[in-house]
Amino acid sequence: MKDTDNLIVRLSFEFSMGIIEYCELLESERKYVLANQLLKSGTSIGANIREAQNAESKADFIHKFKIAAKEIDETQYWLELCLYAKSYPDPVGLPERLMNIANIANKIIITSKMSNR
């Protein structure tokens, strides 16, 4: 994995790997619709964070992190559905890992905006 020293890049990559494993479990239980939605939004977080590392400007960097923040919100929604639906397996640890990523991403956005003044 590229950029292993960058905490948010590493955490979002590891989260994506966890999402892939959980979505494979959902698919094995024929929960295709949520598996597909969750796979798209959950892996998009890391993709946008990775893209931000090569941003063309500070504004571009912030924009890519804001997209990642939107994907975090969507992923949280799908995970909550899985968590509360009785016929779905528990997404053990994924919501907590996602909140950690959300907290770091939000701090990065705020700090980047402040240093842009």
Side-chain angles (χ1 to χ4, degrees):
M1 187 191 92
K2 181 179 161 184
D3 292 327
T4 55
D5 291 341
N6 185 320
L7 179 64
I8 191 71
V9 170
R10 182 174 47 80
L11 291 176
S12 61
F13 182 85
E14 291 169 355
F15 178 78
S16 291
M17 295 305 297
I19 285 291
I20 290 169
E21 288 177 24
Y22 182 66
C23 289
E24 287 173 348
L25 174 62
L26 290 178
E27 287 180 355
S28 74
E29 296 191 13
R30 304 173 61 102
K31 312 290 189 197
Y32 301 114
V33 174
L34 256 62
N36 188 40
Q37 294 288 349
L38 186 56
L39 185 64
K40 287 179 182 180
S41 66
T43 57
S44 180
I45 297 163
N48 282 290
I49 289 171
R50 178 79 65 93
E51 276 187 53
Q53 305 312 301
N54 296 304
E56 295 176 13
S57 65
K58 180 72 79 173
D60 187 36
F61 178 84
I62 293 168
H63 177 71
K64 287 183 180 8
F65 261 90
K66 284 184 173 182
I67 293 170
K70 289 180 181 182
E71 296 295 339
I72 288 168
D73 286 342
E74 181 179 343
T75 301
Q76 183 178 12
Y77 175 75
W78 298 125
L79 284 173
E80 286 174 3
L81 287 178
C82 293
L83 189 62
Y84 292 105
K86 292 180 181 175
S87 63
Y88 277 70
D90 188 348
V92 179
L94 290 173
E96 295 80 11
R97 291 166 64 187
L98 181 62
M99 289 315 304
N100 188 33
I101 292 167
N103 290 336
I104 295 168
N106 287 330
K107 286 178 185 171
I108 289 170
I109 291 168
I110 291 167
T111 303
S112 297
K113 283 182 176 180
M114 294 182 86
S115 68
N116 211 21
R117 292 181 178 177

